[in-house]
Amino acid sequence: MPDDSVGAVRILIVDDHEVVREGLSSVLASDPRYEVVGTAENGRSALEIAARTRPQVAIVDFRLPDMSGDEVCRQLLRARPDLRVIMLSSYLNERLVRQALTAGAAGYLTKGSGLAALRKTLDEVIIEHRSAAPHDAPQIVQQLHDLLSKQVATAPPTPQQQAVLDLAADGLTYHEIGARLFISESTVRFHIQNLKNRFGARSKTDLIAKAIQAGYVQPPDERFLGSVAPPTT
């Protein structure tokens, strides 16, 4: 087995969008500290490529067409416990960070974080890889702590407010929400206004975005992950 403490860090990139894969590959290939040993568009390919190339770090998208990113992380670590996995997602919220933490990931990064954040996370995960025990996850633990700290100041919505919020996030109008919940349209508007005040939102769109960030609403492009149950052991 090669000495992981010297030479370029071997990285596997897993994302179903070609633009993201190629963009990350190009950025990392320009840095002599990193070597991209493979890219995969789905979880199955990721596991096969990882078995052949033995990466030290895997950057894995949370949303993949064949399985959830946290399940890919779990299987990668099962095959090679010393691997470090950085989860990628469009959003930063408590639910997704908890899933990544439970799967054993060492870092969590949003796609909008920027290149500086990517390099910083990589560097910290690599330092951990070379000096810490497997499955320590300081980056994810800190991110989860930060999210929970922010949520302490925001009381959770009441059950009816949560129902209104969920339907608003689904794109329903105030009239449609009222009809679905058997309440008046003015009551819906009352709940939305209270939620705006609670989250410090300027508009309904801003409210939904902040509710997603706080973990009270599941992101539209991540919702299918909620139906993916972790394997039983």
Side-chain angles (χ1 to χ4, degrees), residues 4 8-10 54-58 80 82-84 129-130:
D4 288 347
V9 175
R10 299 164 61 79
R54 299 182 65 79
Q56 295 159 261
V57 177
R80 188 176 180 186
D82 63 337
L83 178 69
R84 288 296 185 267
H129 179 278
R130 291 171 172 170

Side-chain angles (χ1 to χ4, degrees), residues 94 150-169 181 190-200 207-208 210-218:
E94 179 188 348
K150 290 177 183 177
Q151 290 182 21
V152 167
T154 305
T158 66
Q160 190 166 76
Q161 286 176 335
Q162 184 65 57
V164 169
L165 189 57
D166 288 338
L167 293 174
L181 298 178
F190 175 76
H191 285 317
I192 290 291
Q193 186 57 52
N194 282 342
L195 287 165
K196 286 181 187 177
N197 294 338
R198 179 169 294 182
F199 284 92
L207 166 64
I208 293 169
K210 289 185 175 181
I212 288 173
Q213 291 173 354
Y216 290 113
V217 172
Q218 197 169 346

Side-chain angles (χ1 to χ4, degrees), residues 24 145 159:
L24 287 175
H145 176 268

Side-chain angles (χ1 to χ4, degrees), residues 124-135:
E124 291 172 341
V125 167
I126 289 165
I127 290 172
E128 177 202 348
H129 179 278
R130 291 171 172 170
S131 63
H135 299 304

